[in-house]
Amino acid sequence: GLHDPLDASDYDLLVYASRTLDRVDGQLGRAIQRGRSDGLVLVSTPITDERAERLVTSHQPVVLVDSSHEAFDSISVDNRQGGRLAVQHLLDRGHERIGLVLPVEDSVPAAERRRGYQDALTDAGIALDERYQVTADWDHGQHGYTRYAGYLGTQRLIGRFDADPSARPTALFVAADVM
């Protein structure tokens, strides 16, 4: 992706990977203060007005990926359509009881994927049933984006149907590949 065109340039790619949203501000501040960058690409980072002000006053070009703010250019994946297509793929193969495993609620991409899940089921005439949806609300350290969160979410979801195994989901839509 991004690093390929940089190989042919005089620029380097410096990556700050924040495991949690509460660490974003500290890393952002260090990146801006050190003057080590000619621009910033922020991926899946919610931009509050306070963050936007810090970025604007840094006088560095900023591009947002999978988030948006009126002060910056942005590009986004259509997560809602992606969720819809993923669930439609499962519906096309005959599944009607499709479980959904999500990271924490405040994840913008995951919320959009949930809407796509709901859209596909509604379009297919299948009633939305909260029993088939689970959120990794116990893994706030990584915002639910871990294999362990996916594992626990799947266990919780399947466990809801212990009394009636015939009602278990026949397919799962897990809203993040790392899960």
Side-chain angles (χ1 to χ4, degrees):
L2 184 60
H3 55 76
D4 292 335
L6 290 174
D7 283 345
S9 75
D10 291 329
Y11 292 99
D12 295 316
L13 178 62
L14 178 63
V15 176
Y16 287 91
S18 182
R19 298 295 251 164
T20 62
L21 292 176
D22 58 335
R23 295 184 185 174
V24 168
D25 291 318
Q27 290 186 348
L28 187 57
R30 287 191 297 276
I32 291 170
Q33 289 174 350
R34 290 182 181 159
R36 296 174 64 180
S37 62
D38 292 315
L40 300 166
V41 177
L42 301 175
V43 180
S44 295
T45 303
I47 303 299
T48 61
D49 288 336
E50 184 177 290
R51 279 187 191 134
E53 181 62 28
R54 287 179 72 189
L55 291 166
V56 167
T57 58
S58 76
H59 302 291
Q60 294 187 40
V62 174
V63 175
L64 307 176
V65 178
D66 258 352
S67 64
S68 63
H69 190 280
E70 62 191 23
F72 308 108
D73 291 326
S74 64
I75 57 173
S76 293
V77 171
D78 189 342
N79 285 296
R80 186 173 189 164
Q81 181 66 4
R84 179 193 303 260
L85 291 172
V87 174
Q88 187 59 55
H89 173 80
L90 298 172
L91 291 166
D92 290 346
R93 275 140 192 82
H95 297 283
E96 293 183 357
R97 295 187 318 274
I98 300 170
L100 173 65
V101 181
L102 293 166
V104 295
E105 290 289 336
D106 62 354
S107 166
V108 174
E112 287 298 305
R113 292 172 189 154
R114 177 195 294 252
R115 286 186 192 96
Y117 164 88
Q118 293 169 336
D119 292 345
L121 292 179
T122 299
D123 292 349
I126 298 172
L128 298 177
D129 185 339
E130 290 294 320
R131 295 178 307 155
Y132 289 97
Q133 300 176 44
V134 67
T135 302
D137 56 1
W138 55 86
D139 189 10
H140 291 280
Q142 307 266 341
H143 292 272
Y145 285 96
T146 64
R147 286 184 192 161
Y148 189 61
Y151 171 76
L152 289 178
T154 301
Q155 276 192 323
R156 180 186 283 177
L157 179 61
I158 299 303
R160 290 177 178 172
F161 300 95
D162 284 347
D164 184 10
S166 66
R168 285 183 177 149
T170 59
L172 294 178
F173 170 45
V174 182
D177 61 343
V178 71
M179 294 178 74

